[in-house]
């Protein structure tokens, strides 16, 4: 419903994809050594599919709140994923 908020979210959702390679500081390169991040990967795939589906729905009461919750979950992935990688690296190095 808020156009400025929607534009900011759209720009941030694209911009965050450009910054992710710069923030990649893993000790290993693949996700095969990070089992929690494998689960988070599929969480992200589901979030993208649900956000795509909710974007095609009309702007009505149940879809608005669903879209807002899914957007928060989408951006939380980019906060949680590096934290779990650091936690897992610390557990393996200890």
């Amino acid at each position: 419903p808020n156009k400025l908020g929607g534009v900011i979210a759209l720009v941030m959702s694209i911009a965050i994809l450009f910054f992710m390679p710069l923030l990649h500081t893993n000790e290993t390169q693949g996700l095969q050594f990070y089992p929690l991040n494998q689960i988070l990967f599929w969480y992200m795939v589901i979030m993208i599919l649900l956000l795509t589906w909710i974007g095609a729905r009309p702007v009505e009461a149940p879809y608005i709140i669903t879209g807002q919750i899914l957007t928060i979950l989408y951006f939380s992935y980019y906060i949680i994923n590096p934290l779990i990688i650091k936690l897992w690296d610390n557990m393996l190095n200890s």
Side-chain angles (χ1 to χ4, degrees):
N2 184 354
K3 294 212 183 276
L4 179 60
V7 170
I8 291 172
L10 177 66
V11 169
M12 289 302 296
S13 68
I14 301 299
I16 202 164
L17 297 175
F18 288 114
F19 291 116
M20 285 304 291
L22 301 174
L23 301 174
H24 181 73
T25 58
N26 303 359
E27 292 184 15
T28 59
Q29 294 297 317
L31 283 181
Q32 65 267 23
F33 301 111
Y34 299 105
L36 292 175
N37 292 76
Q38 291 175 354
I39 295 168
L40 280 177
F41 169 78
W42 290 109
Y43 161 82
M44 184 62 170
V45 169
I46 291 169
M47 284 301 112
I48 290 172
L49 291 174
L50 287 174
L51 280 168
T52 302
W53 172 76
I54 205 72
R57 303 288 107 207
V59 182
E60 294 176 354
Y63 302 123
I64 294 172
I65 191 70
T66 305
Q68 291 171 346
I69 292 170
L70 290 173
T71 302
I72 290 170
L73 292 174
Y74 172 82
F75 284 111
S76 70
Y77 169 82
Y78 294 105
I79 296 169
I80 294 171
N81 192 33
L83 295 175
I84 290 180
I85 289 174
K86 294 290 183 195
L87 175 71
W88 197 259
D89 284 342
N90 289 338
M91 286 180 10
L92 291 177
N93 291 331
S94 297

Coordinates of all heavy atoms in Angstrom, one line a residue:
P1 N 0.8 -1.2 0.0 CA 0.0 0.0 0.0 C 0.8 1.3 0.0 O 0.4 2.3 -0.5 CB -0.8 -0.1 1.3 CG -0.2 -1.1 2.1 CD 0.6 -2.0 1.2
N2 N 2.0 1.2 0.6 CA 2.9 2.4 0.6 C 3.9 2.3 -0.6 O 4.7 1.5 -0.7 CB 3.7 2.4 1.9 CG 4.5 3.7 2.1 OD1 4.6 4.5 1.1 ND2 5.1 3.8 3.2
K3 N 3.7 3.3 -1.5 CA 4.5 3.2 -2.8 C 6.0 3.5 -2.5 O 6.8 2.8 -3.1 CB 4.0 4.3 -3.8 CG 2.6 3.9 -4.2 CD 2.4 4.4 -5.6 CE 1.0 4.1 -6.1 NZ 0.8 2.7 -6.6
L4 N 6.3 4.4 -1.7 CA 7.8 4.7 -1.4 C 8.4 3.5 -0.7 O 9.5 3.1 -1.0 CB 7.9 5.9 -0.5 CG 9.4 6.3 -0.1 CD1 10.2 6.5 -1.4 CD2 9.4 7.4 0.8
G5 N 7.7 2.9 0.2 CA 8.2 1.7 0.9 C 8.4 0.5 -0.1 O 9.4 -0.2 0.0
G6 N 7.5 0.4 -1.0 CA 7.6 -0.6 -2.0 C 8.8 -0.4 -3.0 O 9.5 -1.4 -3.3
V7 N 9.0 0.8 -3.3 CA 10.2 1.1 -4.2 C 11.5 0.9 -3.5 O 12.4 0.3 -4.0 CB 10.1 2.6 -4.7 CG1 11.4 3.0 -5.4 CG2 8.9 2.8 -5.6
I8 N 11.5 1.3 -2.2 CA 12.8 1.1 -1.4 C 13.0 -0.4 -1.2 O 14.1 -0.9 -1.4 CB 12.7 1.8 0.0 CG1 12.7 3.3 -0.2 CG2 13.8 1.3 0.9 CD1 12.4 4.1 1.0
A9 N 12.0 -1.2 -1.0 CA 12.1 -2.7 -0.8 C 12.6 -3.3 -2.1 O 13.4 -4.2 -2.1 CB 10.8 -3.3 -0.3
L10 N 12.0 -2.8 -3.2 CA 12.4 -3.3 -4.5 C 13.9 -3.1 -4.8 O 14.7 -3.9 -5.2 CB 11.6 -2.7 -5.7 CG 11.9 -3.2 -7.1 CD1 11.6 -4.6 -7.3 CD2 11.1 -2.3 -8.1
V11 N 14.3 -1.8 -4.6 CA 15.7 -1.5 -4.8 C 16.7 -2.3 -3.9 O 17.7 -2.8 -4.3 CB 15.9 0.1 -4.6 CG1 17.4 0.4 -4.6 CG2 15.2 0.8 -5.7
M12 N 16.3 -2.4 -2.6 CA 17.1 -3.1 -1.7 C 17.2 -4.6 -2.0 O 18.2 -5.3 -1.8 CB 16.5 -3.0 -0.2 CG 16.8 -1.6 0.3 SD 18.5 -1.1 0.4 CE 19.1 -2.3 1.5
S13 N 16.1 -5.2 -2.5 CA 16.1 -6.6 -2.8 C 17.0 -6.9 -4.0 O 17.6 -8.0 -4.1 CB 14.7 -7.1 -3.2 OG 14.2 -6.5 -4.4
I14 N 17.2 -6.0 -4.9 CA 18.2 -6.1 -6.0 C 19.6 -5.7 -5.5 O 20.5 -6.4 -5.9 CB 17.7 -5.3 -7.2 CG1 16.3 -5.7 -7.7 CG2 18.8 -5.4 -8.3 CD1 16.2 -7.1 -8.2
A15 N 19.7 -4.7 -4.8 CA 21.0 -4.2 -4.3 C 21.7 -5.2 -3.4 O 22.9 -5.4 -3.5 CB 20.9 -2.9 -3.6
I16 N 20.9 -5.9 -2.6 CA 21.5 -6.9 -1.7 C 22.2 -8.1 -2.5 O 23.1 -8.6 -2.0 CB 20.5 -7.4 -0.7 CG1 21.1 -7.9 0.6 CG2 19.5 -8.4 -1.3 CD1 20.2 -8.1 1.7
L17 N 21.6 -8.4 -3.6 CA 22.2 -9.4 -4.5 C 23.6 -9.0 -5.0 O 24.5 -9.8 -5.2 CB 21.3 -9.8 -5.6 CG 20.0 -10.4 -5.2 CD1 19.1 -10.6 -6.4 CD2 20.1 -11.7 -4.4
F18 N 23.8 -7.7 -5.2 CA 25.1 -7.2 -5.7 C 26.2 -7.2 -4.5 O 27.3 -7.4 -4.8 CB 25.0 -5.8 -6.2 CG 24.3 -5.7 -7.6 CD1 23.1 -5.1 -7.7 CD2 24.9 -6.3 -8.7 CE1 22.4 -5.1 -8.9 CE2 24.2 -6.3 -9.9 CZ 23.0 -5.7 -10.0
F19 N 25.7 -7.0 -3.3 CA 26.6 -6.9 -2.2 C 27.0 -8.3 -1.6 O 28.0 -8.4 -0.9 CB 26.1 -6.0 -1.1 CG 26.0 -4.6 -1.5 CD1 24.8 -3.9 -1.6 CD2 27.2 -3.9 -1.7 CE1 24.8 -2.6 -2.0 CE2 27.2 -2.6 -2.1 CZ 26.0 -1.9 -2.2
M20 N 26.2 -9.3 -1.8 CA 26.5 -10.6 -1.3 C 27.9 -11.2 -1.7 O 28.5 -11.7 -0.8 CB 25.4 -11.6 -1.6 CG 24.1 -11.4 -0.9 SD 24.3 -11.5 0.9 CE 24.7 -13.2 1.1
P21 N 28.3 -11.1 -2.9 CA 29.7 -11.6 -3.2 C 30.8 -10.9 -2.5 O 31.8 -11.5 -2.1 CB 29.8 -11.4 -4.7 CG 28.4 -11.3 -5.2 CD 27.6 -10.7 -4.1
L22 N 30.6 -9.6 -2.2 CA 31.6 -8.8 -1.4 C 31.7 -9.2 0.0 O 32.7 -9.1 0.7 CB 31.3 -7.3 -1.5 CG 31.2 -6.8 -3.0 CD1 30.8 -5.3 -2.9 CD2 32.5 -6.9 -3.6
L23 N 30.6 -9.7 0.6 CA 30.5 -10.1 2.0 C 30.9 -11.6 2.2 O 30.8 -12.1 3.3 CB 29.1 -9.9 2.5 CG 28.6 -8.4 2.4 CD1 27.2 -8.3 2.9 CD2 29.5 -7.6 3.3
H24 N 31.2 -12.3 1.1 CA 31.5 -13.7 1.2 C 32.9 -13.9 1.8 O 33.9 -13.7 1.1 CB 31.4 -14.4 -0.2 CG 31.7 -15.8 -0.3 ND1 30.8 -16.7 0.2 CD2 32.8 -16.5 -0.7 CE1 31.3 -17.9 0.1 NE2 32.5 -17.8 -0.5
T25 N 32.9 -14.3 3.0 CA 34.2 -14.6 3.7 C 34.3 -16.0 4.3 O 34.9 -16.2 5.3 CB 34.4 -13.5 4.8 OG1 33.3 -13.6 5.7 CG2 34.5 -12.1 4.3
N26 N 33.6 -16.9 3.7 CA 33.6 -18.3 4.2 C 35.0 -18.9 4.1 O 35.8 -18.6 3.2 CB 32.7 -19.2 3.4 CG 31.3 -18.6 3.4 OD1 31.0 -17.6 4.0 ND2 30.4 -19.3 2.7
E27 N 35.3 -19.8 5.0 CA 36.6 -20.5 4.9 C 36.5 -21.6 3.9 O 37.5 -22.0 3.3 CB 36.9 -21.1 6.3 CG 37.2 -20.0 7.3 CD 37.7 -20.6 8.6 OE1 38.0 -21.8 8.7 OE2 37.7 -19.8 9.6
T28 N 35.3 -22.1 3.6 CA 35.1 -23.1 2.5 C 34.2 -22.5 1.5 O 33.5 -21.5 1.8 CB 34.5 -24.4 3.1 OG1 33.2 -24.1 3.7 CG2 35.4 -25.1 4.1
Q29 N 34.2 -23.0 0.3 CA 33.5 -22.4 -0.8 C 32.1 -22.9 -1.0 O 31.3 -22.2 -1.5 CB 34.3 -22.5 -2.1 CG 35.6 -21.8 -2.1 CD 35.4 -20.3 -2.0 OE1 34.6 -19.7 -2.6 NE2 36.2 -19.7 -1.1
G30 N 31.8 -24.1 -0.7 CA 30.5 -24.7 -1.0 C 29.7 -24.8 0.3 O 30.1 -24.7 1.4
L31 N 28.4 -25.0 0.0 CA 27.4 -25.2 1.1 C 27.4 -26.6 1.6 O 26.7 -26.9 2.6 CB 26.0 -24.8 0.7 CG 25.7 -23.3 0.6 CD1 24.3 -23.1 0.2 CD2 26.0 -22.7 1.9
Q32 N 28.2 -27.5 1.0 CA 28.1 -28.9 1.4 C 28.7 -29.1 2.9 O 28.4 -30.1 3.5 CB 28.8 -29.9 0.5 CG 30.3 -29.6 0.4 CD 30.7 -28.7 -0.7 OE1 29.9 -27.9 -1.2 NE2 31.9 -28.8 -1.2
F33 N 29.4 -28.1 3.4 CA 30.0 -28.2 4.7 C 29.2 -27.4 5.7 O 29.6 -27.4 6.9 CB 31.4 -27.7 4.7 CG 32.3 -28.5 3.8 CD1 32.8 -28.0 2.6 CD2 32.6 -29.9 4.1 CE1 33.6 -28.7 1.8 CE2 33.4 -30.6 3.2 CZ 33.9 -30.0 2.1
Y34 N 28.1 -26.8 5.3 CA 27.2 -26.0 6.1 C 25.8 -26.6 6.1 O 25.0 -26.1 5.3 CB 27.2 -24.6 5.7 CG 28.6 -23.9 5.7 CD1 29.3 -23.7 4.6 CD2 29.1 -23.5 7.0 CE1 30.5 -23.0 4.6 CE2 30.3 -22.9 7.0 CZ 31.0 -22.6 5.8 OH 32.2 -22.0 5.9
P35 N 25.5 -27.6 6.9 CA 24.2 -28.2 6.8 C 23.0 -27.3 7.1 O 21.9 -27.3 6.5 CB 24.2 -29.4 7.8 CG 25.4 -29.2 8.6 CD 26.3 -28.3 7.9
L36 N 23.2 -26.3 8.1 CA 22.1 -25.4 8.4 C 21.9 -24.4 7.2 O 20.8 -24.0 7.0 CB 22.5 -24.6 9.6 CG 22.5 -25.4 10.9 CD1 22.9 -24.6 12.1 CD2 21.1 -26.0 11.2
N37 N 23.0 -24.1 6.5 CA 22.8 -23.2 5.4 C 22.2 -23.9 4.2 O 21.6 -23.2 3.3 CB 24.1 -22.6 5.0 CG 24.6 -21.6 6.1 OD1 25.1 -22.1 7.1 ND2 24.5 -20.4 5.8
Q38 N 22.3 -25.2 4.1 CA 21.6 -25.9 3.1 C 20.1 -25.8 3.3 O 19.3 -25.6 2.4 CB 22.0 -27.4 3.1 CG 23.4 -27.6 2.6 CD 23.8 -29.1 2.7 OE1 23.1 -29.9 3.3 NE2 25.0 -29.4 2.2
I39 N 19.7 -25.9 4.6 CA 18.3 -25.7 4.9 C 17.8 -24.3 4.6 O 16.7 -24.1 4.0 CB 18.0 -26.1 6.4 CG1 18.3 -27.6 6.6 CG2 16.6 -25.7 6.8 CD1 18.4 -28.0 8.1
L40 N 18.7 -23.3 4.9 CA 18.3 -21.9 4.6 C 18.3 -21.7 3.1 O 17.5 -20.8 2.7 CB 19.4 -21.0 5.3 CG 19.2 -20.7 6.7 CD1 20.4 -19.8 7.2 CD2 17.9 -20.1 7.0
F41 N 19.0 -22.4 2.3 CA 18.9 -22.2 0.9 C 17.5 -22.6 0.4 O 16.9 -21.8 -0.4 CB 20.0 -23.1 0.2 CG 19.8 -23.2 -1.3 CD1 20.2 -22.1 -2.1 CD2 19.2 -24.3 -1.9 CE1 20.0 -22.2 -3.5 CE2 19.0 -24.3 -3.2 CZ 19.4 -23.3 -4.0
W42 N 17.0 -23.7 0.9 CA 15.7 -24.1 0.4 C 14.6 -23.2 1.0 O 13.6 -23.0 0.4 CB 15.4 -25.6 0.8 CG 16.3 -26.5 -0.1 CD1 17.3 -27.2 0.3 CD2 16.1 -26.6 -1.5 NE1 17.9 -27.8 -0.8 CE2 17.2 -27.5 -1.9 CE3 15.2 -26.1 -2.5 CZ2 17.3 -27.9 -3.2 CZ3 15.4 -26.5 -3.8 CH2 16.4 -27.4 -4.2
Y43 N 14.9 -22.7 2.2 CA 14.0 -21.6 2.8 C 13.9 -20.4 1.9 O 12.9 -19.9 1.6 CB 14.5 -21.3 4.2 CG 14.1 -20.0 4.8 CD1 12.9 -19.9 5.4 CD2 14.9 -18.8 4.7 CE1 12.5 -18.7 6.0 CE2 14.5 -17.6 5.2 CZ 13.3 -17.6 5.9 OH 12.9 -16.4 6.4
M44 N 15.1 -20.0 1.3 CA 15.1 -18.9 0.4 C 14.4 -19.2 -0.9 O 13.7 -18.3 -1.4 CB 16.6 -18.5 0.1 CG 16.7 -17.3 -0.7 SD 16.1 -15.9 0.1 CE 16.6 -14.6 -0.9
V45 N 14.6 -20.4 -1.4 CA 13.9 -20.8 -2.7 C 12.3 -20.7 -2.4 O 11.6 -20.2 -3.3 CB 14.3 -22.2 -3.1 CG1 13.4 -22.7 -4.2 CG2 15.7 -22.2 -3.6
I46 N 11.9 -21.2 -1.3 CA 10.5 -21.1 -1.0 C 10.0 -19.7 -0.8 O 8.9 -19.3 -1.3 CB 10.2 -22.0 0.3 CG1 10.4 -23.4 0.0 CG2 8.7 -21.7 0.8 CD1 10.3 -24.3 1.2
M47 N 10.8 -18.8 -0.2 CA 10.4 -17.4 0.0 C 10.3 -16.7 -1.4 O 9.4 -16.0 -1.6 CB 11.5 -16.7 0.8 CG 11.5 -16.9 2.3 SD 9.9 -16.5 3.0 CE 9.3 -18.1 3.4
I48 N 11.2 -17.0 -2.3 CA 11.2 -16.4 -3.6 C 9.9 -16.9 -4.4 O 9.2 -16.1 -5.0 CB 12.4 -16.7 -4.4 CG1 13.6 -15.9 -3.8 CG2 12.3 -16.3 -5.9 CD1 14.9 -16.3 -4.4
L49 N 9.6 -18.1 -4.3 CA 8.4 -18.7 -4.9 C 7.1 -18.0 -4.3 O 6.2 -17.6 -5.1 CB 8.3 -20.2 -4.8 CG 9.4 -20.9 -5.7 CD1 9.3 -22.4 -5.4 CD2 9.2 -20.7 -7.2
L50 N 7.1 -18.0 -3.0 CA 5.9 -17.4 -2.4 C 5.8 -15.9 -2.7 O 4.7 -15.4 -2.9 CB 5.9 -17.6 -0.9 CG 5.7 -19.0 -0.4 CD1 5.9 -19.2 1.1 CD2 4.3 -19.5 -0.8
L51 N 6.9 -15.2 -2.7 CA 6.8 -13.7 -3.0 C 6.4 -13.5 -4.5 O 5.7 -12.6 -4.8 CB 8.2 -13.1 -2.8 CG 8.5 -12.7 -1.3 CD1 9.9 -12.3 -1.1 CD2 7.6 -11.6 -0.8
T52 N 6.8 -14.4 -5.3 CA 6.4 -14.3 -6.7 C 4.9 -14.6 -6.8 O 4.2 -13.8 -7.5 CB 7.1 -15.4 -7.6 OG1 8.5 -15.1 -7.5 CG2 6.7 -15.3 -9.0
W53 N 4.4 -15.5 -6.1 CA 3.0 -15.8 -6.1 C 2.2 -14.7 -5.5 O 1.1 -14.3 -6.0 CB 2.7 -17.1 -5.3 CG 1.3 -17.4 -5.1 CD1 0.4 -17.9 -6.1 CD2 0.5 -17.2 -4.0 NE1 -0.9 -18.0 -5.5 CE2 -0.8 -17.6 -4.2 CE3 0.8 -16.8 -2.7 CZ2 -1.8 -17.5 -3.3 CZ3 -0.2 -16.7 -1.7 CH2 -1.5 -17.1 -2.0
I54 N 2.6 -14.2 -4.4 CA 1.9 -13.1 -3.7 C 1.9 -11.8 -4.5 O 1.0 -11.0 -4.4 CB 2.4 -12.9 -2.2 CG1 1.3 -12.3 -1.3 CG2 3.6 -12.0 -2.2 CD1 0.2 -13.3 -1.0
G55 N 2.9 -11.6 -5.3 CA 3.0 -10.4 -6.1 C 1.9 -10.5 -7.2 O 1.5 -9.4 -7.8
A56 N 1.4 -11.6 -7.6 CA 0.4 -11.8 -8.6 C -1.0 -11.7 -8.1 O -2.0 -11.6 -8.8 CB 0.6 -13.1 -9.4
R57 N -1.1 -11.6 -6.8 CA -2.4 -11.5 -6.1 C -2.9 -10.1 -6.1 O -2.1 -9.2 -6.1 CB -2.4 -12.1 -4.7 CG -1.9 -13.5 -4.5 CD -2.9 -14.5 -5.0 NE -2.4 -15.0 -6.3 CZ -3.2 -15.5 -7.3 NH1 -4.5 -15.5 -7.2 NH2 -2.7 -15.9 -8.4
P58 N -4.2 -9.9 -6.0 CA -4.7 -8.5 -5.8 C -4.3 -7.9 -4.5 O -4.1 -8.6 -3.5 CB -6.2 -8.7 -6.0 CG -6.5 -10.1 -5.6 CD -5.3 -10.9 -6.0
V59 N -4.3 -6.6 -4.4 CA -4.0 -5.9 -3.2 C -5.2 -5.9 -2.3 O -6.0 -5.0 -2.3 CB -3.5 -4.5 -3.4 CG1 -3.1 -3.8 -2.1 CG2 -2.3 -4.5 -4.4
E60 N -5.4 -6.9 -1.5 CA -6.5 -7.1 -0.6 C -6.0 -7.5 0.8 O -4.8 -7.9 0.9 CB -7.5 -8.2 -1.1 CG -8.1 -7.8 -2.4 CD -9.0 -8.9 -3.0 OE1 -9.0 -10.0 -2.4 OE2 -9.7 -8.6 -4.0
A61 N -6.9 -7.6 1.7 CA -6.5 -7.8 3.2 C -5.6 -9.0 3.4 O -4.5 -8.8 4.0 CB -7.8 -7.9 4.0
P62 N -5.9 -10.2 3.1 CA -5.0 -11.2 3.5 C -3.7 -11.2 2.8 O -2.7 -11.7 3.3 CB -5.8 -12.5 3.2 CG -6.7 -12.2 2.1 CD -7.1 -10.7 2.4
Y63 N -3.7 -10.7 1.5 CA -2.4 -10.7 0.7 C -1.5 -9.7 1.1 O -0.3 -9.8 1.0 CB -2.8 -10.6 -0.7 CG -3.7 -11.7 -1.2 CD1 -4.9 -11.4 -1.8 CD2 -3.4 -13.1 -1.1 CE1 -5.8 -12.4 -2.3 CE2 -4.2 -14.1 -1.5 CZ -5.4 -13.7 -2.1 OH -6.2 -14.7 -2.5
I64 N -1.9 -8.6 1.7 CA -1.1 -7.5 2.1 C -0.2 -7.9 3.2 O 1.0 -7.8 3.2 CB -1.9 -6.2 2.5 CG1 -2.6 -5.6 1.2 CG2 -1.0 -5.2 3.1 CD1 -3.5 -4.5 1.5
I65 N -0.8 -8.4 4.3 CA 0.0 -8.9 5.5 C 0.9 -10.1 5.1 O 2.0 -10.2 5.6 CB -0.9 -9.2 6.7 CG1 -0.1 -9.3 7.9 CG2 -1.8 -10.4 6.4 CD1 0.5 -8.1 8.5
T66 N 0.4 -10.9 4.2 CA 1.2 -12.1 3.8 C 2.5 -11.6 3.1 O 3.6 -12.1 3.3 CB 0.4 -13.0 2.9 OG1 -0.8 -13.4 3.6 CG2 1.2 -14.2 2.6
G67 N 2.3 -10.6 2.2 CA 3.4 -10.1 1.5 C 4.4 -9.4 2.4 O 5.6 -9.5 2.2
Q68 N 3.9 -8.7 3.4 CA 4.8 -8.0 4.4 C 5.6 -9.0 5.2 O 6.8 -8.8 5.4 CB 4.0 -7.1 5.3 CG 3.4 -5.9 4.5 CD 2.4 -5.1 5.4 OE1 2.0 -5.5 6.4 NE2 2.1 -3.9 4.9
I69 N 4.9 -10.0 5.6 CA 5.6 -11.1 6.4 C 6.7 -11.8 5.5 O 7.8 -12.0 6.0 CB 4.6 -12.1 7.0 CG1 3.8 -11.4 8.1 CG2 5.3 -13.3 7.6 CD1 2.6 -12.2 8.5
L70 N 6.3 -12.1 4.3 CA 7.3 -12.8 3.4 C 8.5 -11.9 3.1 O 9.6 -12.3 2.9 CB 6.6 -13.2 2.1 CG 5.6 -14.4 2.3 CD1 4.8 -14.6 1.0 CD2 6.3 -15.6 2.7
T71 N 8.2 -10.6 3.0 CA 9.3 -9.6 2.7 C 10.3 -9.6 3.9 O 11.5 -9.6 3.7 CB 8.8 -8.2 2.4 OG1 7.9 -8.3 1.3 CG2 9.9 -7.2 2.1
I72 N 9.7 -9.6 5.1 CA 10.6 -9.6 6.3 C 11.4 -10.9 6.3 O 12.6 -10.9 6.6 CB 9.8 -9.4 7.6 CG1 9.2 -8.0 7.6 CG2 10.6 -9.7 8.8 CD1 8.2 -7.8 8.7
L73 N 10.8 -12.0 6.0 CA 11.5 -13.3 6.0 C 12.6 -13.3 4.9 O 13.6 -13.9 5.1 CB 10.5 -14.4 5.8 CG 9.6 -14.7 7.0 CD1 8.5 -15.7 6.6 CD2 10.3 -15.0 8.2
Y74 N 12.3 -12.7 3.8 CA 13.2 -12.6 2.7 C 14.5 -11.9 3.1 O 15.6 -12.4 2.9 CB 12.6 -11.9 1.5 CG 13.6 -11.7 0.3 CD1 13.9 -12.6 -0.6 CD2 14.1 -10.4 0.2 CE1 14.7 -12.4 -1.7 CE2 15.0 -10.1 -0.9 CZ 15.3 -11.1 -1.8 OH 16.2 -10.9 -2.8
F75 N 14.3 -10.7 3.7 CA 15.5 -9.9 4.1 C 16.2 -10.5 5.3 O 17.4 -10.4 5.5 CB 15.1 -8.5 4.4 CG 14.9 -7.7 3.1 CD1 13.6 -7.3 2.8 CD2 15.9 -7.4 2.3 CE1 13.4 -6.6 1.6 CE2 15.8 -6.7 1.1 CZ 14.5 -6.3 0.8
S76 N 15.5 -11.3 6.2 CA 16.1 -11.9 7.3 C 17.1 -13.0 6.9 O 18.0 -13.3 7.6 CB 15.0 -12.5 8.3 OG 14.4 -13.6 7.7
Y77 N 16.8 -13.6 5.7 CA 17.7 -14.6 5.2 C 19.1 -14.0 5.1 O 20.1 -14.7 5.4 CB 17.3 -15.2 3.9 CG 18.3 -16.0 3.2 CD1 18.5 -17.3 3.5 CD2 19.1 -15.5 2.2 CE1 19.4 -18.1 2.9 CE2 20.1 -16.2 1.5 CZ 20.2 -17.6 1.9 OH 21.1 -18.3 1.2
Y78 N 19.3 -12.8 4.6 CA 20.5 -12.2 4.3 C 21.2 -11.8 5.6 O 22.4 -11.5 5.6 CB 20.4 -11.0 3.4 CG 20.0 -11.4 2.0 CD1 18.7 -11.2 1.6 CD2 20.8 -12.1 1.2 CE1 18.3 -11.7 0.3 CE2 20.4 -12.5 -0.1 CZ 19.2 -12.3 -0.5 OH 18.8 -12.7 -1.7
I79 N 20.5 -11.7 6.7 CA 21.1 -11.4 8.0 C 21.5 -12.7 8.7 O 22.6 -12.9 9.3 CB 20.1 -10.6 8.9 CG1 19.9 -9.3 8.2 CG2 20.6 -10.5 10.3 CD1 18.7 -8.5 8.8
I80 N 20.6 -13.7 8.6 CA 20.8 -15.0 9.3 C 21.9 -15.8 8.7 O 22.7 -16.5 9.4 CB 19.5 -15.8 9.4 CG1 18.5 -15.0 10.3 CG2 19.7 -17.2 10.0 CD1 17.1 -15.6 10.3
N81 N 21.9 -15.9 7.4 CA 22.9 -16.8 6.6 C 24.3 -16.5 7.0 O 25.1 -17.4 7.4 CB 22.6 -16.6 5.1 CG 23.4 -17.7 4.3 OD1 23.5 -18.8 4.8 ND2 23.8 -17.3 3.1
P82 N 24.9 -15.3 6.9 CA 26.3 -15.0 7.3 C 26.5 -15.4 8.8 O 27.6 -15.8 9.2 CB 26.5 -13.6 7.0 CG 25.4 -13.1 6.1 CD 24.3 -14.0 6.4
L83 N 25.5 -15.1 9.7 CA 25.7 -15.4 11.1 C 25.9 -16.9 11.3 O 26.7 -17.3 12.1 CB 24.6 -14.8 11.9 CG 24.4 -13.3 11.9 CD1 23.2 -12.9 12.6 CD2 25.6 -12.7 12.5
I84 N 25.1 -17.7 10.6 CA 25.2 -19.1 10.8 C 26.5 -19.6 10.2 O 27.1 -20.6 10.8 CB 24.0 -19.8 10.2 CG1 22.7 -19.5 11.0 CG2 24.2 -21.3 10.1 CD1 21.5 -20.1 10.5
I85 N 27.0 -19.1 9.1 CA 28.3 -19.5 8.6 C 29.4 -19.2 9.6 O 30.2 -20.0 9.8 CB 28.5 -18.8 7.2 CG1 27.6 -19.3 6.2 CG2 29.9 -18.9 6.8 CD1 27.6 -18.6 4.8
K86 N 29.4 -18.0 10.2 CA 30.4 -17.6 11.1 C 30.3 -18.6 12.4 O 31.3 -19.0 12.9 CB 30.2 -16.2 11.6 CG 30.5 -15.2 10.5 CD 31.9 -15.1 10.2 CE 32.2 -14.0 9.1 NZ 33.4 -14.1 8.5
L87 N 29.1 -18.8 12.8 CA 28.9 -19.7 14.0 C 29.5 -21.1 13.6 O 30.2 -21.7 14.4 CB 27.4 -19.8 14.3 CG 27.1 -20.8 15.4 CD1 27.6 -20.3 16.8 CD2 25.6 -21.0 15.5
W88 N 29.1 -21.6 12.4 CA 29.6 -22.9 12.0 C 31.1 -23.0 11.9 O 31.8 -24.0 12.3 CB 28.9 -23.4 10.8 CG 29.0 -24.8 10.5 CD1 29.8 -25.4 9.6 CD2 28.2 -25.8 11.1 NE1 29.6 -26.8 9.7 CE2 28.6 -27.1 10.5 CE3 27.1 -25.8 12.0 CZ2 28.0 -28.3 10.9 CZ3 26.6 -27.0 12.4 CH2 27.0 -28.2 11.8
D89 N 31.7 -21.9 11.3 CA 33.2 -21.9 11.2 C 33.8 -21.9 12.6 O 34.9 -22.5 12.8 CB 33.6 -20.6 10.4 CG 33.4 -20.8 8.9 OD1 33.2 -22.0 8.4 OD2 33.3 -19.8 8.2
N90 N 33.3 -21.1 13.5 CA 33.8 -21.1 14.9 C 33.7 -22.4 15.5 O 34.6 -22.8 16.3 CB 33.1 -20.0 15.7 CG 33.5 -18.6 15.3 OD1 34.6 -18.4 14.6 ND2 32.7 -17.7 15.6
M91 N 32.6 -23.2 15.3 CA 32.5 -24.5 15.9 C 33.5 -25.5 15.3 O 34.0 -26.3 16.0 CB 31.0 -25.0 15.7 CG 30.0 -24.3 16.6 SD 28.3 -24.8 16.5 CE 28.3 -26.3 15.5
L92 N 33.7 -25.4 14.0 CA 34.7 -26.3 13.4 C 36.1 -26.0 13.7 O 36.9 -26.9 13.8 CB 34.5 -26.2 11.8 CG 33.2 -26.8 11.3 CD1 33.1 -26.6 9.8 CD2 33.0 -28.3 11.7
N93 N 36.4 -24.7 14.0 CA 37.8 -24.3 14.3 C 38.1 -24.5 15.8 O 39.3 -24.4 16.2 CB 38.1 -22.9 13.9 CG 38.1 -22.8 12.4 OD1 38.4 -23.7 11.6 ND2 37.7 -21.6 11.8
S94 N 37.1 -24.7 16.6 CA 37.4 -24.8 18.0 C 37.9 -26.2 18.4 O 37.8 -27.1 17.8 CB 36.1 -24.5 18.8 OG 35.7 -23.2 18.6

